[in-house]
Amino acid sequence: KVMSLLFALEETREFFMEAFLKALREKPLNKISVKELCQRTGYNRSTFYYYFEDVYDLRKQVETNLIHSIISEISLQPNLTDEKFIKSLITVHKVYGEIIVFLNRDSSFYESYKQALQPHLLAFLKVEKLNTELDLIFDFVMGGIFALLEKYARQDIPLTVEELTLFIQEQINKLSVWHSYSNNENSH
C-alpha cells in the first residue's frame, strides 16, 4: 500500500507538470495561474500547494527534472567520444526540444542548464578548470551550441543529427585551434 500511495503522489505531481507545460505552450509564465492548472488537472488548490509553493516553484521543478533527465541520458553513455557527446546532446534536444524552447522563453533555464552541463562540457573540451578566458570561451561555446540545438528542436535547421554533429564538432575544433594558437602567441 505504501508503494501505491507513493506512486499516486508522484503521478499527481506529474499531472500538474504536464498541465503547466501545456499552458506554457499557449501563454507566457506570468499569465498562468494556479486556478487554471487546477482546472486542467481536476485537482483542488490545496493539492497544488501540497506539491508546489506557486507557479514559479512548479516551473523550477519542471526545469530541474528536465535538466536531470538530460544529464542522466548523457551520463549513461559509456566511453563518450567528442562525436558521441555532441550527438547525444542533439538527440536529447530532439526529444525535449519543445519543452526547452518554452522553458527558455520565460525563465533562467539556460543558466541552470549551462551550470548542470558544465562538468560534462569541461570533460568534453578536456579542460580541468575554468580561468577567466576559458570561462568566456565556455559561455561562447555553450551559447552557440544551445542556440543551434534550440533551432534544431524547432526544426529550423534542415540537417540530420549526423550533419549537425559534424558541424558543431568542426566549430569546436576551430575554436580549440584558435585557443591553442592564442595561448602560444601569448607565451612568447
Side-chain angles (χ1 to χ4, degrees):
K1 286 195 178 228
V2 171
M3 291 304 287
S4 299
L5 178 61
L6 291 175
F7 178 75
L9 290 172
E10 187 59 30
E11 188 177 63
T12 303
R13 186 173 167 275
E14 294 294 323
F15 284 145
F16 278 112
M17 289 180 164
E18 287 174 24
F20 170 77
L21 289 170
K22 286 179 183 172
L24 196 57
R25 285 183 185 103
E26 299 165 9
K27 58 180 92 173
L29 178 65
N30 63 355
K31 300 290 184 193
I32 299 172
S33 68
V34 172
K35 180 181 178 182
E36 174 187 356
L37 295 172
C38 290
Q39 288 172 338
R40 287 176 182 256
T41 61
Y43 290 102
N44 61 35
R45 292 172 70 86
S46 62
T47 303
F48 175 89
Y49 289 114
Y50 176 81
Y51 295 97
F52 313 102
E53 292 175 22
D54 54 24
V55 175
Y56 295 93
D57 179 46
L58 170 56
R59 179 205 67 210
K60 188 67 182 162
Q61 288 188 41
V62 167
E63 287 178 359
T64 301
N65 283 1
L66 176 61
I67 290 170
H68 178 74
S69 296
I70 291 170
I71 298 300
S72 294
E73 288 188 36
I74 291 169
S75 298
L76 289 175
Q77 311 256 345
N79 305 320
L80 213 55
T81 62
D82 294 356
E83 182 182 341
K84 285 183 184 175
F85 177 78
I86 295 169
K87 199 175 206 174
S88 114
L89 266 180
I90 294 169
T91 303
V92 164
H93 272 256
K94 196 171 189 177
V95 172
Y96 298 111
E98 184 183 17
I99 297 170
I100 291 168
V101 169
F102 288 113
L103 284 174
N104 200 39
R105 184 178 65 193
D106 284 318
S107 72
S108 60
F109 175 75
Y110 169 75
E111 283 302 317
S112 300
Y113 184 46
K114 184 178 77 170
Q115 290 304 314
L117 267 182
Q118 185 170 340
H120 301 277
L121 277 169
L122 291 178
F124 165 68
L125 296 170
K126 296 161 186 69
V127 173
E128 289 182 30
K129 187 178 168 191
L130 292 178
N131 58 31
T132 303
E133 182 183 4
L134 286 175
D135 190 38
L136 293 171
I137 291 170
F138 178 75
D139 278 343
F140 180 74
V141 170
M142 268 305 291
I145 290 173
F146 195 79
L148 283 174
L149 294 175
E150 195 171 299
K151 283 184 93 166
Y152 186 73
R154 287 193 316 257
Q155 300 175 347
D156 290 347
I157 299 176
L159 300 175
T160 65
V161 170
E162 289 74 19
E163 291 168 334
L164 186 56
T165 300
L166 183 62
F167 176 79
I168 291 173
Q169 195 167 6
E170 286 171 353
Q171 304 320 305
I172 290 172
N173 289 341
K174 288 176 188 175
L175 191 58
S176 297
V177 168
W178 171 81
H179 180 63
S180 297
Y181 174 76
S182 172
N183 282 339
N184 289 338
E185 288 291 310
N186 290 335
S187 64
H188 291 7

